[in-house]
Amino acid sequence: MRLSFLEPLYKQPGPFASVYLDTSRDAAVDDPDAAIELRWRHLRDALMAEGADRDSVTAVADTAGSDTDVPGTHGQAVFTAHGRLALLDELPSPPTRDTAHFGTLPDTMPLIVQHTPGIPYLAVHVHYSGRHSTDATDTVRIDAEAGTWPLTKVTPGHRVHEEIPATDWLNAAGEIGRELEGHARRIDVEAVVVAGDVWARGILVRRLPAPLRGQVTTVEGAGESMPGRALLEQRLESFFSGRMAAHDRALLDTFLAQRARDGATAEGLSAAVSALQRGRAKALFLNDHPESTLHLWVGPKPGQLALTEQELRSYGIQDVREERADAALARALVGTRAELVVVPEQQLRLSEGVGVLLRYADPASRA
């Protein structure tokens, strides 16, 4: 995953207030606004206890819970600095627990994890309940959405809606297929998920352009979606569970191949820090451990991170702070334009939860 969406945040000076808040609005809560306000008050107290300035706390208060147009379960990530909103992002799922942190670096790793796997897709629902015949008097209705999973759950993608008389369906399906191919090409889709009436969707799938047809998976069920949420959300949740984006999968395959022949890879926190210090990291692989208590020492610039305060000071850096390891790693990845791949531990257990694919092998390691 490329972390360019975080670049504007890191261009701003800290310290930052970082808040992750459950802002769900669903039937499970009688008064969601009151519940959100109560949760925010607890986080506000936590920020003040950590030394946050009042203006930055007020900026969070002005934003927290503002996503009233997003239905269902979700959350918000809010970052403020010096009394101004620095970044606001919707979370596809509520945070496991509400958190607030005030420090030199923004706490971005929970947001990054919620952006994964980042799979571009096309969802298509073919509504039809008439006779399975092209001389029927009924209407075929098509809803389609091009998006990125899981972000489309809270930030809907481009929608297509068409209603076609069944008598015209054979010809119209080809035209719609070409329209869908255009949307798919624009976002370089990795999967096309089609639901709905078996007869009507079968005609559409057979008339899709060949490259798109080869990416189709059909799913059963009604596939109805909540307004304002991703089309076929429940079906997509099951379909994408445990999947990696193709780009991330390719990076992981390269890492594993290089590791097998003692190539341009390393594992462990120390090795990752060394690679980021020198700008040698092409991609970092991480077993996400939000409960980790590991810390690193950081300076003002992204590549200024170390395991100890003494190491940083030995480089002549005077302004040093201790921060969460994942926050320091995230800033270094953005600053050096390295990529991040979150890998489930059951799929690959990394030493200290961290692995790195290097831009080039260390000549000394080949001796």
Side-chain angles (χ1 to χ4, degrees):
M1 170 189 281
R2 297 178 177 90
L3 304 179
S4 54
F5 70 98
L6 290 175
E7 288 179 0
L9 176 63
Y10 287 106
K11 287 179 180 177
Q12 303 178 58
F16 296 89
S18 306
V19 169
Y20 291 88
L21 179 66
D22 183 345
T23 54
S24 298
R25 289 179 171 83
D26 56 6
V29 181
D30 292 333
D31 189 345
D33 289 323
I36 292 168
E37 176 61 25
L38 179 61
R39 287 196 290 269
W40 158 238
R41 283 205 296 265
H42 291 307
L43 297 182
R44 179 191 60 198
D45 293 343
L47 285 175
M48 298 297 286
E50 289 192 358
D53 60 281
R54 189 170 297 277
D55 287 343
S56 291
V57 173
T58 299
V60 178
D62 291 342
T63 305
S66 61
D67 53 351
T68 55
D69 58 332
V70 182
T73 57
H74 61 280
Q76 274 186 317
V78 184
F79 303 87
T80 66
H82 305 287
R84 297 187 300 274
L85 180 66
L87 179 68
L88 170 65
D89 210 331
E90 298 296 326
L91 302 175
S93 300
T96 305
R97 63 184 182 87
D98 297 332
T99 61
H101 173 67
F102 184 73
T104 304
L105 301 182
D107 181 20
T108 56
M109 193 58 73
L111 174 60
I112 293 169
V113 170
Q114 286 238 22
H115 271 247
T116 59
I119 300 176
Y121 73 93
L122 182 66
V124 183
H125 189 190
V126 185
H127 306 257
Y128 184 68
S129 57
R131 291 188 299 112
H132 290 173
S133 171
T134 54
D135 62 2
T137 58
D138 301 281
T139 298
V140 179
R141 181 162 60 90
I142 302 296
D143 287 305
E145 181 176 53
T148 301
W149 189 260
L151 297 182
T152 312
K153 289 201 290 183
V154 290
T155 307
H158 181 74
R159 287 276 182 115
V160 174
H161 175 79
E162 299 280 355
E163 293 189 7
I164 309 294
T167 52
D168 297 336
W169 183 229
L170 283 175
N171 292 327
E175 296 179 12
I176 292 173
R178 289 187 288 274
E179 180 183 357
L180 295 177
E181 183 189 32
H183 293 299
R185 190 185 301 115
R186 276 192 287 274
I187 64 171
D188 196 19
V189 298
E190 295 178 21
V192 180
V193 181
V194 184
D197 178 77
V198 174
W199 174 78
R201 82 185 184 201
I203 291 174
L204 175 64
V205 169
R206 286 192 295 274
R207 280 158 177 74
L208 290 173
L212 200 59
R213 191 165 62 244
Q215 296 175 300
V216 167
T217 297
T218 56
V219 296
E220 302 307 318
E224 295 292 351
S225 302
M226 180 188 300
R229 302 285 295 191
L231 180 66
L232 303 180
E233 180 178 346
Q234 297 299 322
R235 306 299 166 194
L236 296 176
E237 194 87 59
S238 299
F239 180 73
F240 288 124
S241 178
R243 288 176 62 131
M244 295 179 69
H247 179 74
D248 288 354
R249 179 74 250 180
L251 283 173
L252 181 58
D253 288 344
T254 301
F255 173 82
L256 293 173
Q258 290 283 346
R259 189 177 71 167
R261 58 174 181 265
D262 295 325
T265 66
E267 286 189 55
L269 186 60
S270 177
V273 167
S274 176
L276 289 166
Q277 285 174 337
R278 294 181 283 170
R280 292 184 56 212
K282 179 178 181 179
L284 195 75
F285 301 85
L286 186 70
N287 296 145
D288 183 38
H289 288 295
E291 76 289 351
S292 173
T293 58
L294 292 175
H295 284 72
L296 292 171
W297 288 85
V298 301
K301 297 181 180 179
Q304 295 175 342
L305 69 167
L307 297 178
T308 66
E309 178 183 4
Q310 291 75 15
E311 181 184 355
L312 269 190
R313 293 197 183 280
S314 72
Y315 302 144
I317 303 168
Q318 298 303 314
D319 183 11
V320 300
R321 305 287 181 102
E322 189 177 24
E323 287 285 342
R324 280 183 58 100
D326 55 7
L329 292 174
R331 184 187 67 159
L333 288 168
V334 174
T336 60
R337 300 201 170 178
E339 297 189 52
L340 176 69
V341 180
V342 179
V343 185
E345 198 167 41
Q346 60 269 28
Q347 183 175 345
L348 176 65
R349 185 186 293 271
L350 297 160
S351 176
E352 295 185 297
V354 185
V356 60
L357 176 65
L358 304 173
R359 299 185 192 277
Y360 54 89
D362 186 346
S365 66
R366 298 176 182 174

